[in-house]
Every structure is written in C-alpha cells, then in structure tokens.
Amino acid sequence: MSDAPHKTILVLHGPNLNTLGQREPAIYGHTTLDQINAQLRAEADGMGVELVILQSNYEGALIDQIQQSAAVACGIIINPGAFTHYSVALRDALAAAQLPAIEVHLSNVYKREPFRHHSVVAPVVTGQIAGLGPDGYLLALRYLARHAAAGN
C-alpha cells in the first residue's frame, strides 16, 4: 500500500454550465464544457491526478457527489453557477466535506449584476477565482494538486 497522498479531485459544474459555448458567449465565451473538461483531464493526467467530474442542474446531485467523494478526494473545484448565491445546502455540504475547495466562475461576477456579488459558498472554500474564463479551472487544479502533493 502506498503512503502517497490520495490525488483525486472532484470537479463540480452547476446549473446551465452544460450550455457553455452557446449560452451568452459575450459573457461566458465560446468554450464548451466538454472542452473545459478535456483541458482539465489533460492537465490532471500530466500531474498524476484523477478527476471525478460532474455537471448537474440539480442541487441534490452536486451535494450527493460531495458526500460520496469526501472520503477519497483531496480537493474540490466547484463552479456552483446560480447556486452560488442561495444554496445553503451546497455550502453546508462543502463545509462538512472538510476538503480544500476552490470556487471558480468564468466571468467576473463582481463586474456584473449586484445579486451576483454575494456567494454563500465563499466563506467555506479555500479560495475563489473569477473572471479568468476556463483558465480559472486550470489554476484551481494546479493549486489543489500542488497542495495534495505536499500533504496539505
């Protein structure tokens, strides 16, 4: 049995992210979710990291995945989409998992409508990346993989 830290990272995409590439490209860009996931997998393969990726428009599915993965994952990358602003249940699942987590948003939510400026998830995650498009996911992956390798 290996003493190496477990290197499974959970990647969660919230509601409407399955329509990336078509949905408001002036805000979210032309990159599809499949392309983002492929970039993440290629990067993770090079780092020796396994990814568990889920997109769901249903809050409960995201919560179920956090609960199922908490014991085996070393970190979470989450773009909660609209759940960012009101899902206390998702926030509580992230807090209960006690894993390093990075909240990612493709657009700079702080340059958008005022209701998007508040995240109920932010207080329980390690950090937040907003406005860097798909690169935000890759930065989150690099951060979590580096900290998993260090045993943090």
Side-chain angles (χ1 to χ4, degrees), residues 76 78 100-104 121-122 124-130 140 143-144:
I76 300 170
I78 183 166
I102 306 297
E103 178 183 351
V104 174
V121 173
V124 299
V125 297
T126 306
Q128 187 182 64
I129 300 170
Y143 175 86
L144 290 173

Side-chain angles (χ1 to χ4, degrees), residues 13-19 55-62 83 86:
H13 306 285
N16 298 311
L17 292 168
N18 55 310
T19 63
Q55 184 283 322
S56 183
N57 295 317
Y58 302 98
E59 182 181 35
L62 298 171
F83 294 144
Y86 67 86

Side-chain angles (χ1 to χ4, degrees), residues 16-68:
N16 298 311
L17 292 168
N18 55 310
T19 63
L20 288 177
Q22 305 162 341
R23 175 183 176 217
E24 301 179 87
I27 295 172
Y28 300 107
H30 295 281
T31 305
T32 67
L33 188 59
D34 286 342
Q35 291 169 325
I36 290 171
N37 288 338
Q39 290 172 344
L40 284 168
R41 286 195 190 285
E43 187 84 10
D45 287 347
M47 299 176 180
V49 172
E50 179 184 338
L51 299 181
V52 173
I53 300 175
L54 173 69
Q55 184 283 322
S56 183
N57 295 317
Y58 302 98
E59 182 181 35
L62 298 171
I63 293 166
D64 287 346
Q65 189 64 62
I66 292 168
Q67 292 173 353
Q68 291 165 10

Side-chain angles (χ1 to χ4, degrees), residues 122-148:
V124 299
V125 297
T126 306
Q128 187 182 64
I129 300 170
L132 302 181
D135 288 342
Y137 284 98
L138 295 171
L139 292 169
L141 175 61
R142 290 177 192 134
Y143 175 86
L144 290 173
R146 184 169 50 252
H147 284 269

